[in-house]
Amino acid sequence: FNIATDAAAGPVLRADILSPGVFAEGRFSATQVFYDPASAGANTELSLRFNAIMTLFPSASIRLFLPGFTSDGAAFIQAGTWNITVNASSSAGVVLTMTAIERVPGNVSAVVVVPVEAGGYLPVLGMSPNQLDMTISCDAVSGPVEA
């Protein structure tokens, strides 16, 4: 960002202010989801690998909508530096909300593992490659991402 003023005592010329580690733009790159076991209808461990361009500060949440997934019901677990909430969003699927406990620097590859104990089940009819109705969003103050 930059700063400038037109104060009566004399103008301050526009100057860029560098904020290392804080990006004003919010987006994800290199996002991948892995399942173990990867069998239709199976209770599975889910791994979300992503590169958030923006810094994620503590309490920033990432929401991953998993269409066609089911769950045992609402679950809350801590996995590494993330608090994870699993919520069935009706018959449409499951929403995973992953809330950062610690700062996650921008432009660094990160992995969140949701264990089998969270009770998430792959769709009974399976999934298609590059499933377009699976969405990711984030409420990061340094750059939110809409679903």
Side-chain angles (χ1 to χ4, degrees):
F1 66 92
N2 54 58
I3 188 168
T5 182
D6 58 356
V12 175
L13 301 176
R14 178 183 163 131
D16 290 332
I17 297 175
L18 302 177
S19 301
V22 179
F23 299 92
E25 177 185 5
R27 66 185 159 93
F28 292 97
S29 67
T31 305
Q32 297 175 306
V33 181
F34 300 95
Y35 315 99
D36 185 24
S39 300
N43 184 8
T44 189
E45 173 181 279
L46 181 142
S47 297
L48 171 65
R49 178 175 295 145
F50 63 91
N51 186 345
I53 300 303
M54 65 290 191
T55 299
L56 301 174
F57 292 99
S59 80
S61 292
I62 297 171
R63 290 173 41 100
L64 181 65
F65 174 65
L66 302 165
F69 279 62
T70 56
S71 71
D72 290 333
F76 176 82
I77 56 171
Q78 183 176 342
T81 59
W82 299 89
N83 286 326
I84 301 170
T85 305
V86 180
N87 287 316
S89 69
S90 76
S91 60
V94 168
V95 175
L96 291 179
T97 303
M98 297 153 279
T99 304
I101 298 171
E102 297 177 5
R103 180 180 176 273
V104 179
N107 216 19
V108 173
S109 183
V111 177
V112 180
V113 178
V114 182
V116 170
E117 294 78 24
Y121 295 84
L122 286 165
V124 175
L125 299 177
M127 300 177 65
S128 60
N130 298 317
Q131 190 158 344
L132 297 178
D133 55 349
M134 182 182 293
T135 59
I136 188 168
S137 61
C138 183
D139 65 1
V141 295
S142 57
V145 177
E146 299 293 325

